Amino acid sequence: MKRIIFLLTAALIFASCEKKDVYVNESAPLNSGFSASRVLMAKAPSPNALAASDSFDEAADDSSAVVLERKLIKNGTISVEVQNLQNAEEKVSEWCASFGGYIESSSTSTSDSSVTVKVPSAKFDAAMESAGKFGSVKNTTVSLQDVSEQFYDLKGRLETRKVLRDKLSGYLKQASTMQDMLKIERELNNVQSEIESMEGRLNRLSNQIDYSTISVFITLPYNTTTGGFKFPDFGDGARRFFANVIAFFAGFASVLLYAVICGIPLCAVVALLYWLLFGKIGLLKKLFKKLRG
């Protein structure tokens, strides 16, 4: 009996210890949760870090916002029909001046006129749209040439050459011997020549970019000149026709004459060669007979 009581007591004590262990183990997730929260807090960025990251993002946005301006060469053509060439030319001049441009060249005949103007590229579209002010527009064309890569490449190489020129100038001041001075001066002159050439090309390219070209072709109505309407001249047309016919036969006769003059001597030479080689003399025949014999 005592033994049974002892076993029951030992069992109760073992059960109470097991519950205590379970309670301790159940409290472990709380500790691990606390540790996890500490880890999350450690991983979370501080306000200073957030501010620094925001400033970095803004700087990145600013750097990506720097976009090179496209460099375009714009050209346009306008064909118009007018009733009076002189008035149309005056209107073209006023139209060009109203956009801050200038006339580059012009030519005029009795029935048409051609004017080449330069206008600021920023006003090119407006100038093309207002072309109908000085005549009836028959045709317009616009062409764009993107020279951005060429422009910025030339500009970058020019800046590089200028830096090299400055360095060579500094080396020239520090040169200790005459031979070094001559070598540096020669190289400096070459670099300066390249700089001047690049500057000239860049200036011409910049002028083409800044000022667009518009070619204006002005014509009078059909069979009309500055003196008024011109009836077709049938007599003049007939004279041109017969002149062309005569010119054709004259050319044909000259070809025949050349053939006769050049052909007769050529035929005589061919006949002579045949007579010598294959005719009565027959040099080649005799030679073949000897070779066969």
Side-chain angles (χ1 to χ4, degrees):
M1 188 68 182
K2 291 181 180 180
R3 188 174 180 180
I4 293 172
I5 293 172
F6 175 76
L7 292 174
L8 291 174
T9 304
L12 291 174
I13 293 172
F14 178 77
S16 63
C17 290
E18 185 177 5
K19 287 183 179 180
K20 186 175 181 179
D21 293 338
V22 171
Y23 176 76
V24 172
N25 291 334
E26 288 177 354
S27 66
L30 294 177
N31 293 334
S32 62
F34 177 75
S35 300
S37 64
R38 288 181 63 184
V39 171
L40 291 174
M41 290 180 64
K43 290 184 178 180
S46 64
N48 294 333
L50 288 173
S53 63
D54 291 339
S55 62
F56 177 78
D57 292 338
E58 291 177 0
D61 293 338
D62 291 339
S63 62
S64 62
V66 178
V67 179
L68 296 178
E69 180 185 0
R70 292 179 63 191
K71 301 297 181 179
L72 301 175
I73 296 178
K74 302 178 181 180
N75 295 307
T77 59
I78 304 171
S79 299
V80 295
E81 184 177 279
V82 299
Q83 299 298 324
N84 189 294
L85 284 181
Q86 185 177 359
N87 292 340
E89 290 173 354
E90 292 176 357
K91 289 181 180 180
V92 170
S93 179
E94 294 174 358
W95 163 79
C96 175
S98 65
F99 291 100
Y102 61 92
I103 295 177
E104 186 179 45
S105 63
S106 64
S107 62
T108 305
S109 67
T110 57
S111 60
D112 56 48
S113 177
S114 175
V115 183
T116 302
V117 302
K118 292 281 191 177
V119 296
S121 296
K123 300 180 180 179
F124 174 79
D125 296 334
M128 291 293 295
E129 292 175 358
S130 62
K133 292 182 178 179
F134 44 85
S136 175
V137 179
K138 298 299 181 181
N139 185 32
T140 60
T141 60
V142 174
S143 64
L144 302 177
Q145 182 182 0
D146 192 341
V147 293
S148 304
E149 183 177 357
Q150 179 182 354
F151 178 85
Y152 290 112
D153 178 67
L154 183 59
K155 188 176 181 181
R157 289 192 291 117
L158 177 60
E159 293 175 354
T160 302
R161 287 299 179 187
K162 287 183 177 180
V163 172
L164 179 58
R165 180 189 59 184
D166 296 339
K167 289 184 178 180
L168 289 173
S169 299
Y171 296 154
L172 183 61
K173 295 178 181 179
Q174 299 174 1
S176 58
T177 64
M178 182 61 67
Q179 185 178 3
D180 292 341
M181 290 178 62
L182 293 175
K183 288 183 180 179
I184 295 173
E185 283 184 351
R186 184 166 55 253
E187 187 66 25
L188 185 59
N189 290 334
N190 293 336
V191 172
Q192 183 62 34
S193 298
E194 292 179 359
I195 289 174
E196 293 174 358
S197 176
M198 290 180 182
E199 286 177 342
R201 289 162 54 193
L202 188 62
N203 290 334
R204 289 191 295 271
L205 190 60
S206 298
N207 184 62
Q208 292 177 337
I209 295 169
D210 296 337
Y211 279 85
S212 300
T213 302
I214 301 178
S215 300
V216 184
F217 300 100
I218 308 169
T219 59
L220 292 174
Y222 180 70
N223 280 337
T224 304
T225 64
T226 53
F229 180 75
K230 181 181 179 181
F231 288 96
D233 189 355
F234 296 103
D236 184 60
R239 286 191 295 272
R240 286 199 299 270
F241 172 75
F242 286 112
N244 292 333
V245 171
I246 293 171
F248 170 77
F249 283 107
F252 182 72
S254 64
V255 171
L256 289 178
L257 183 62
Y258 280 118
V260 171
I261 294 174
C262 299
I264 292 175
L266 181 62
C267 291
V269 171
V270 171
L272 178 62
L273 291 174
Y274 180 81
W275 181 68
L276 292 173
L277 299 176
F278 301 99
K280 290 183 178 182
I281 298 177
L283 297 176
L284 286 178
K285 287 183 178 181
K286 294 177 180 180
L287 181 61
F288 289 150
K289 288 180 179 180
K290 289 181 180 181
L291 292 176
R292 289 177 181 176

